[in-house]
Amino acid sequence: MTTARAEILARVRRALADVDEPDPVRDVPVDWEYGRPLSTADVVADLVEKIEDYGARIVRVPAAAVPDAIVAALTEMEASSVVLPPGLDGAWRAAIEAVAAVTADEPPLTASELNAVDAVVTAAAVAMADSGTIALDHGPDQGRRALSLVPDRHVCVVRVDQVVSAVPEGVARLAPAIRAGRPVTWISGGSATSDIELARVEGVHGPRQLYVVLAD
Amino acid sequence: MSPNSAPAQRRTPAPPPGTWLGMPAFPKAAREQLQRAEQRQNLARATTHIRGKRAERAAEVADWEELRTAAAQIKTRVARHLDTYLVQAEEAMTAAGITVHWARDAAEANRIVGEIALAKGVDEVVKIKSMVTQEIDLNEHLESIGVAAWETDLAELIVQLGHDRPSHILVPAIHRNRREVREIFAEEMGRYGTPAPPTMTDDPEELAEAARAHLRAKFLRAEMAVSGANFLIAETGTVVIVESEGNGRMCLTLPETLVSVIGIEKILPTVADLEVFLTLLPRSSTGERMNPYTSLWTGVTPGDGPQDLHVVLLDNGRTDVLADPEGRAALRCIRCSACLNICPVYERVGGHAYGSPYPGPIGAILNPQLRGVASEVDQALPYASSLCGACNDVCPVRIPFTDILVHLRHKVVEHKTEHHPTAEQAAFSAIGWVMADGRNLAKAQLASRAGGAVLGDRWLGNRVIGRLPLPIAGRWLRARDVDAPPAQTFRAWWAARTPAAPPVDGSADAATEDRA
Ligand code: SF4
């Protein structure tokens, strides 16, 4: 009996009897130059504008003021319990511990335990200005995927040197992490739906509040 | 949870009776759908809104047209070398720890997913909105083996709880308004889990909040999830899913087991290709610069997310589409729904008239290729279009809809001729006689002109034909207002205003026709 795999591949080859160039790249050239930056005048200002357009909060502060900015964010969102990724910056962690109950994710919290935590604070990997997108590659300062998903409030710290103009540059920067097998999550504003009469409603299952701290 | 878990009792809300292919063919279905004034208003409002947003977001991108060209080329490259890319994707996924399965058809895919669920000992799974699992009717298969499949996308939840069928590939409940959604939630949620709050109004925020509360318990206890995929990267074996609500991330992150059913045409060659598609897709589909969440995973990550990952590569007719060099461009589709939203036919009849989860222009060209043209439903679909070509212009992967529609009409006629010639063909040969020669056209127009004189002068004061007691036109005019045929044909008018023109009914006309 032929396996499904063998049969499907045989069907595909039969269907493509008209293709006689074996090299895909030579057969169908793609007229596109990959990874080009967009010529945005002020990339960081563009990111701020686009993230605000999604209804998310974003503040820009000097690097030394990040711990204070995180504390201000947690206070503003009335978060009293926080979960932190294991590799988060020590100064940030110390500032957070002074104002909120920090739950350790060791051993890993269950989904229900995470659900009882008010907020999560993470770093980021890349931010793409033109679409207002932040990408996490879930490195040690960002934590496993569930951490930045289940708690209802997400404070995300982005360094300006992580900001690129648009998606093509962003994909190029993320490619090594993807090739290394790391999961990647793109976040553009808070969770939202337009499923009822296409009216946009902010906040469904993902964190309902996104607060971005942009560090110079 | 269902009130009673005895095997005879359904675990999830029953869909409407019947099958997609058992539905009436487009002309009859469209007529039924056109009677639904409320649905027509819901659709008109929604599609007008989303069309405007798409146009605005596309216009923001300076090299939009170049992106569309690149997307079409990349997808064409994949289609023309699909065997190479499938083998590459399989190797990469296997190396990353994903168990890869192959399914020739819907039944085989359903059986594979069902067997995984039974082997895991789960009696429910959470689902991310996925066209392909609609296509194979996975939920009903799982129900039949005692596994409840819960839709977690808001619109899919509205459809599921409403005992309904999806009518749009992006917003499956686009035909429902807020009042109807409130009724469905108030009535049904309590039967299957956390009930809707008794104070819930029809404010979309409150409805979304009710959905959040209803589904949260299901997410937190879920042991297995089922998804589709937007893209599968051959280079790395990375699976990509775009979404808005975060229900996708919940399903992709919290359960221990994740099964993704992926049509074999979903492949992109490289990670870099994502830049083209992740720019085009959100702007074309929801009219946003970017959808709120995009998840990419490359096999198993220890300590993070599902530890048992499966991918089911599905054919189910795709290789038949591939076998037609003129029709295979339909496989480029990235399911953005722009062609539905721009389509004047879809806007009026809605998605339930197309006899498939793929409605609108993409449904009209995809279903008759995936399923063949043996059924009445699929024979009618290539005609469910006015060939206005609006879809050609918005499609982010430049699918040549009108060419494929005409090609498929030809195939349908061929299929019918093989079996038995019809009155339709007699009509077409009459048209052939009229159009073949200018003298014949002039004779036919003489008859039409006489009709126009009668209707215009004696019957209709306002020169608009509404309902007529004529056997064929009367039916056609029930949903339309049209001008009466002119009393003078263009050819007669032209002859009258051009002094040197040859006589209308004269033989010199033939020259004009020959050039045409
Ligand atoms: S055919 Fe083109 S426009 Fe229609 S859903 Fe597919 S990609 Fe979008």
Side-chain angles (χ1 to χ4, degrees), chain A residues 1-9 11-36 38 49-50 53-54 108 111-112 114-115 128 130-133 136 138 143-152 167-169 171-172 174-175 178-208, chain B residues 45-47 49-50 53 57 63 66-67 69-70 73-74 76-77 79-87 90 102-104 108 152-155 158 170-171 173-174 176-179 181 204-205 207-209 211-212 215-216 219-220 235-236 238 244-247 249-250 252-254 264 271-276 278-279 283 288-298 301 303-306 313 315 319 322-323 325 328:
Chain A
M1 200 187 86
T2 44
T3 63
R5 179 185 191 276
E7 191 172 331
I8 291 171
L9 287 173
R11 287 178 188 173
V12 170
R13 286 172 188 141
R14 259 199 316 274
L16 295 173
D18 61 311
V19 178
D20 29 56
E21 169 57 65
D23 179 11
V25 177
R26 251 207 315 265
D27 183 40
V28 188
V30 174
D31 304 312
W32 183 254
E33 202 189 310
Y34 288 86
R36 271 178 306 166
L38 209 63
E49 185 194 318
K50 301 292 168 60
D53 201 44
Y54 289 127
S112 300
L114 266 180
N115 195 41
M128 294 162 255
D130 183 53
S131 59
T133 303
L136 310 182
H138 302 280
R144 64 190 176 104
R145 283 171 283 174
L147 289 195
S148 44
L149 171 63
V150 182
D152 207 12
V167 168
E169 262 191 299
V171 169
L174 287 164
I178 297 171
R179 293 200 180 102
R182 300 258 285 275
V184 167
T185 306
W186 290 19
I187 297 168
S188 307
S191 83
T193 183
S194 303
D195 279 352
I196 301 166
E197 296 182 9
L198 296 180
R200 188 176 160 99
V201 176
E202 314 277 338
V204 195
H205 305 292
R208 282 184 284 193
Chain B
R45 198 178 326 113
T47 53
H49 175 78
I50 203 164
K53 278 174 67 186
R57 291 296 170 237
D63 45 9
E66 290 75 16
L67 275 163
T69 301
Q73 290 168 332
I74 293 166
T76 303
R77 180 185 281 177
R80 287 172 63 87
H81 300 274
L82 192 55
D83 50 339
T84 309
Y85 288 118
L86 279 168
V87 171
E90 180 192 39
W102 299 70
R104 282 164 278 213
E108 192 163 28
T152 64
D153 168 77
L154 180 52
I158 296 166
L170 175 73
V171 197
I174 197 167
R176 298 286 198 184
N177 60 31
R178 60 184 70 190
R179 191 181 44 70
V181 174
E205 287 209 19
L207 296 170
E209 172 70 41
R212 177 184 164 99
L215 289 172
R216 188 115 311 214
F219 287 136
L220 295 179
E235 175 195 359
T236 52
T238 306
S244 293
E245 296 166 16
N247 64 305
R249 292 177 69 196
M250 290 283 179
L252 300 174
T253 307
L254 298 182
I264 52 175
V271 173
D273 291 318
L274 283 173
E275 72 176 59
V276 172
L278 291 179
T279 303
R283 290 175 192 263
E288 294 167 295
R289 295 190 179 97
M290 189 61 72
N291 49 288
Y293 299 129
T294 300
S295 297
L296 303 90
W297 69 98
T298 309
T301 304
D304 183 353
L313 294 170
D315 180 352
T319 47
L322 195 65
R328 71 166 67 119

Side-chain angles (χ1 to χ4, degrees), chain B residues 491-516:
Chain B
R491 292 156 62 91
W493 172 81
W494 181 256
R497 74 177 285 282
T498 317
V504 184
D505 295 335
S507 57
D509 256 20
T512 324
E513 299 301 314
D514 287 345
R515 268 198 318 255

Side-chain angles (χ1 to χ4, degrees), chain A residues 77-101:
Chain A
M77 296 192 295
E78 297 175 2
S80 52
S81 60
V82 183
V83 62
L84 301 178
L88 199 74
D89 182 285
W92 305 357
R93 175 181 291 270
I96 296 162
E97 276 167 347
V99 295

Side-chain angles (χ1 to χ4, degrees), chain B residues 169 332-340 362 365 391 394-399 401:
Chain B
I169 60 182
R332 293 183 206 151
C333 174
I334 55 173
R335 314 275 189 259
C336 73
S337 77
C339 60
L340 280 62
I362 182 59
I365 62 168
C391 42
V394 294
C395 177
V397 288
R398 292 194 189 276
I399 293 177
F401 287 92

Side-chain angles (χ1 to χ4, degrees), chain B residues 152-274:
Chain B
T152 64
D153 168 77
L154 180 52
E156 290 282 9
L157 182 70
I158 296 166
V159 168
Q160 186 176 34
L161 290 176
H163 303 269
D164 202 354
R165 288 188 205 283
S167 71
H168 189 277
I169 60 182
L170 175 73
V171 197
I174 197 167
H175 57 292
R176 298 286 198 184
N177 60 31
R178 60 184 70 190
R179 191 181 44 70
E180 297 169 286
V181 174
R182 198 204 78 85
E183 275 168 26
I184 292 168
F185 281 8
E187 175 85 7
E188 299 282 344
M189 274 182 169
R191 294 192 190 157
Y192 303 101
T194 312
T199 55
M200 178 181 70
T201 71
D202 65 5
D203 176 357
E205 287 209 19
E206 290 184 39
L207 296 170
E209 172 70 41
R212 177 184 164 99
H214 179 78
L215 289 172
R216 188 115 311 214
K218 291 191 164 76
F219 287 136
L220 295 179
R221 67 167 185 250
E223 291 168 45
M224 173 168 159
V226 176
S227 80
N230 292 98
F231 307 106
L232 166 61
I233 313 288
E235 175 195 359
T236 52
T238 306
V239 187
V240 183
I241 288 192
V242 304
E243 53 138 347
S244 293
E245 296 166 16
N247 64 305
R249 292 177 69 196
M250 290 283 179
C251 294
L252 300 174
T253 307
L254 298 182
E256 189 59 21
T257 303
L258 169 63
V259 184
S260 307
V261 183
I262 306 180
I264 52 175
E265 82 286 14
K266 291 283 172 186
I267 292 183
L268 297 181
T270 68
V271 173
D273 291 318
L274 283 173

